[in-house]
Amino acid sequence: MGQAVEVRELVKRYGGTTALDGVDLTVAAGGVHGLLGPNGAGKTTLLRIMLGLVRQDAGELRLFAGQPHRLAGFVDSPRFYPYLSAERNLALLAAYDGGDAADRIDEVLDRVGLADRARRKVGGYSYGMRQRLGIAAALLRAPDLLVLDEPGNGLDPAGIRDMRQLVRSLAAEGLTVLLSSHHMAEVEELCDTVSILRTGRVVYTGSLAELRSRAPDPAHRLATSDDESAAALAADQPGVRVTGHPDGGLTVRARTAELDAFVLALGSRGIAVRALRLEATSLESLFLTLTEGDQR
Ligand SMILES: Nc1ncnc2c1ncn2[C@@H]1O[C@H](COP(=O)(O)OP(=O)(O)OP(=O)(O)O)[C@@H](O)[C@H]1O
């Protein structure tokens, strides 16, 4: 499989702010690639450069090894004429784009689940519907690469589920999807590969499987009838690390089997477990470690 995106030493400055500070990453064609990072890490800037909305100050960006390709997507929220229907909005975009885009209007509206509301004014659309219409607009171009900036943002749980299903089904048809997110859980569920950005630099790029193998144990918050004895007992439990939780109780880092053994040991010593809650999955813990100290 070829490369959809090759980025080398990409630099972008806005006045005194360095948004991208020598970004290197490669995205293979096919599948979903997540661009993950905290606010201000440079995700949107990278997507803007990709979409040709701003120019880099230095470095190179190559799509599909320089072969002819079609690229579509949007950063921030997609904008439409509120007093026109979804169908009319897409017809206008298709007219600008030319080619056979107009022939695909019904198909793309159906694809994003808006076929039955295609004649309603976009002004009355919910945020989630507008996001889906944005994807429909991008699909009009029959792109090889679809770029989406935080597609899950502002959506309710059902909207997030629909968006994820749509992205996965597009990828299953061979489209390459590049999306940004600041939620590790979203990326974990949706993406095949990931690049993690921190203050304009890539701190990890590769498969989720490889990332998982580097991840620390998940963190849990534990409250017991006797935290002091629980912490002392943990010292003898293999694979269990206990520290004080900043908000009271204990933080327990352990994989599931070791955590189970620890909880059973607590019970057998007469120490009652009053609360046990997952605070951060392995990957969330790793994400925080990789990106913490981000002051921008
Ligand atoms: N047009 C601009 N003018 C000045 N500074 C900008 C501009 N766009 C972005 N920046 C700055 O560049 C840095 C990277 O911003 P960018 O929006 O790319 O990050 P991000 O990872 O997408 O963050 P977020 O999740 O908050 O959108 C930030 O410090 C931001 O303030």
Side-chain angles (χ1 to χ4, degrees):
M1 203 180 348
Q3 309 295 7
V5 180
E6 292 164 281
V7 172
R8 294 286 163 263
E9 286 298 309
L10 209 62
V11 175
K12 175 68 190 173
R13 294 185 203 90
Y14 295 106
T17 304
T18 303
L20 298 178
D21 193 10
V23 165
D24 281 299
L25 61 88
T26 304
V27 179
V32 185
H33 186 86
L35 201 57
L36 188 66
N39 290 334
K43 306 178 294 295
T44 306
T45 300
L46 180 54
L47 299 185
R48 276 186 204 284
I49 292 172
M50 225 166 257
L51 289 167
L53 300 172
V54 294
R55 269 189 80 81
Q56 68 263 39
D57 293 307
E60 264 182 58
L61 169 74
R62 208 157 72 119
L63 301 178
F64 294 95
Q67 298 298 309
H69 61 272
R70 281 190 271 206
L71 166 71
F74 53 89
V75 291
D76 306 322
S77 294
R79 304 246 167 94
F80 297 100
Y81 291 107
Y83 48 84
L84 297 180
S85 69
E87 217 169 40
R88 280 298 299 155
N89 269 286
L90 292 191
L92 285 174
L93 290 171
Y96 277 123
D97 263 3
D100 57 356
D103 302 336
R104 276 194 293 274
I105 292 175
D106 290 342
E107 176 195 328
V108 298
L109 283 168
D110 186 45
R111 200 62 224 277
V112 301
L114 289 175
D116 55 343
R117 282 159 287 187
R119 297 214 162 84
R120 294 210 202 146
K121 284 183 184 170
V122 171
Y125 272 27
S126 69
Y127 183 78
M129 287 162 73
R130 252 175 263 188
Q131 290 284 96
R132 280 190 275 155
L133 185 55
I135 295 185
L139 294 178
L140 273 184
R141 291 192 166 176
D144 306 293
L145 174 63
L146 178 64
V147 170
L148 300 173
D149 191 21
E150 310 243 3
N153 250 16
L155 298 183
D156 61 19
I160 289 174
R161 184 201 55 209
D162 293 348
M163 176 67 72
R164 287 179 185 172
Q165 273 172 3
L166 177 61
V167 167
R168 288 257 39 125
S169 70
L170 291 169
E173 288 163 22
L175 205 80
T176 307
V177 183
L178 178 64
L179 60 89
S180 71
S181 175
H182 55 261
H183 289 301
M184 178 51 103
E186 174 163 86
V187 166
E188 201 175 350
E189 201 166 305
L190 201 52
C191 301
D192 307 296
T193 53
V194 61
S195 295
I196 301 181
L197 282 183
R198 174 191 176 175
T199 53
R201 287 178 167 273
V202 174
V203 290
Y204 175 83
T205 184
S207 72
L208 273 167
E210 159 72 13
L211 188 64
R212 256 186 217 109
S213 73
R214 297 189 192 183
D217 295 341
H220 301 77
R221 186 170 177 186
L222 173 70
T224 70
S225 54
D226 182 352
D227 287 346
E228 210 173 303
S229 302
L233 180 64
D236 300 329
Q237 295 282 310
V240 175
R241 202 158 57 82
V242 167
T243 49
H245 192 287
D247 300 325
L250 301 169
T251 299
V252 183
R253 291 183 188 279
R255 302 207 174 260
T256 309
E258 286 73 17
L259 183 68
D260 287 350
F262 178 48
V263 169
L264 292 172
L266 288 172
S268 73
R269 305 289 157 89
I271 303 170
V273 171
R274 291 182 173 159
L276 179 64
R277 188 164 56 82
L278 179 67
E279 286 230 302
T281 65
S282 299
L283 283 183
E284 281 165 351
S285 298
L286 181 61
F287 174 57
L288 291 172
T289 310
L290 287 172
T291 59
E292 73 190 356
D294 194 321
Q295 296 299 314
R296 205 143 63 182

